Amino acid sequence: SQTIHQWPATLVQPVGSPLSLECTVEGTSNPNLYWYRQAAGRGLQLLFYSVGIGQISSEVPQNLSASRPQDRQFILSSKKLLLSDSGFYLCAWSVNLGKPQHFGDGTRLSIL
Amino acid sequence: GDSVTQMEGPVTLSEEAFLTINCTYTATGYPSLFWYVQYPGEGLQLLLKATKADDKGSNKGFEATYRKETTSFHLEKGSVQVSDSAVYFCALSDTQGAQKLVFGQGTRLTINP
């Protein structure tokens, strides 16, 4: 069966520090991959999605970037974190058309 | 663009009460519709889905019917339990490209014993 792993589960970082969140999927090939952010008390915002290795689409302009170095690995990064980057970050994957997305357990990021 | 509107929360009910969480959408074409649930401190889990008009999704006693004429996908449960306390998200997905999900803002549900 397919599984999705995100780490770390929680992270506390100072303003201006770099960031790297990792997400990996097992048990499937060539998944669509997604990064979402959930700000406190708000809904989910799609940040990036990828339909293949090296293919990244950005949904909103921001301080973050994403990369997909391998088929089942999706990385969210920042060179210098801002206070506004705090939130709950969720990775998700889906097979192709008509299939729902499956989410990881999320990373809670706090910026001090 | 596509959008999803959910009823404002939080919603507080007593155990065994009837639950309705309203969801309406705006979309071009014929999207698939989903309800996701997020338990405290966890990621989202798919609760149920419907892929075409008049489809009824159901799971764990929850139901929602895809109503094209009213562009709605309301979530219902006949008798809620304390363990149903969570945040519920309505979402739609277009059927092309990367299948991006558009979420509602979420409705926090608390069930008191």
Side-chain angles (χ1 to χ4, degrees), chain A residues 82-98:
Chain A
L82 305 173
L83 282 175
S84 57
D85 292 324
S86 293
F88 191 50
Y89 288 83
L90 289 158
C91 181
W93 72 273
S94 68
V95 189
N96 291 317
L97 298 177

Side-chain angles (χ1 to χ4, degrees), chain A residues 2-112:
Chain A
Q2 301 91 352
T3 55
I4 179 168
H5 303 281
Q6 266 188 259
W7 66 92
T10 59
L11 188 61
V12 180
Q13 293 282 98
V15 169
S17 63
L19 173 73
S20 180
L21 302 181
E22 191 163 340
C23 172
T24 59
V25 180
E26 297 177 358
T28 188
S29 296
N30 196 32
N32 293 340
L33 296 172
Y34 311 82
W35 277 112
Y36 291 88
R37 177 169 59 203
Q38 184 179 25
R42 301 178 65 179
L44 279 80
Q45 179 183 42
L46 178 63
L47 302 176
F48 301 95
Y49 69 91
S50 171
V51 299
I53 296 175
Q55 300 179 58
I56 307 296
S57 297
S58 175
E59 287 295 293
V60 293
Q62 57 206 313
N63 183 43
L64 303 168
S65 61
S67 61
R68 186 170 177 173
Q70 301 180 41
D71 181 44
R72 291 168 288 177
Q73 183 184 31
F74 204 26
I75 297 172
L76 184 69
S77 304
S78 174
K79 292 182 179 178
K80 295 180 70 172
L81 285 167
L82 305 173
L83 282 175
S84 57
D85 292 324
S86 293
F88 191 50
Y89 288 83
L90 289 158
C91 181
W93 72 273
S94 68
V95 189
N96 291 317
L97 298 177
K99 298 297 183 183
Q101 294 180 15
H102 305 275
F103 286 79
D105 289 335
T107 295
R108 188 162 304 281
L109 175 64
S110 299
I111 311 300
L112 304 179

Side-chain angles (χ1 to χ4, degrees), chain B residues 4-78:
Chain B
V4 175
T5 302
Q6 286 180 237
M7 67 184 287
E8 294 266 346
V11 174
T12 302
L13 296 172
S14 298
E15 207 165 20
E16 300 183 0
F18 184 86
L19 169 71
T20 300
I21 300 178
N22 290 338
C23 171
T24 57
Y25 67 91
T26 302
T28 56
Y30 301 97
S32 296
L33 300 174
F34 307 89
W35 277 100
Y36 282 85
V37 58
Q38 184 179 31
Y39 298 104
E42 299 183 10
L44 274 69
Q45 302 175 26
L46 178 66
L47 181 59
L48 53 84
K49 65 172 181 168
T51 57
K52 61 183 186 297
D54 299 325
D55 268 2
K56 177 185 284 188
S58 60
N59 185 27
K60 299 181 181 179
F62 290 90
E63 293 184 340
T65 301
Y66 190 142
R67 301 285 188 198
K68 184 172 177 292
E69 63 277 11
T70 55
T71 61
S72 65
F73 193 54
H74 304 322
L75 182 69
E76 297 182 335
K77 186 173 184 180

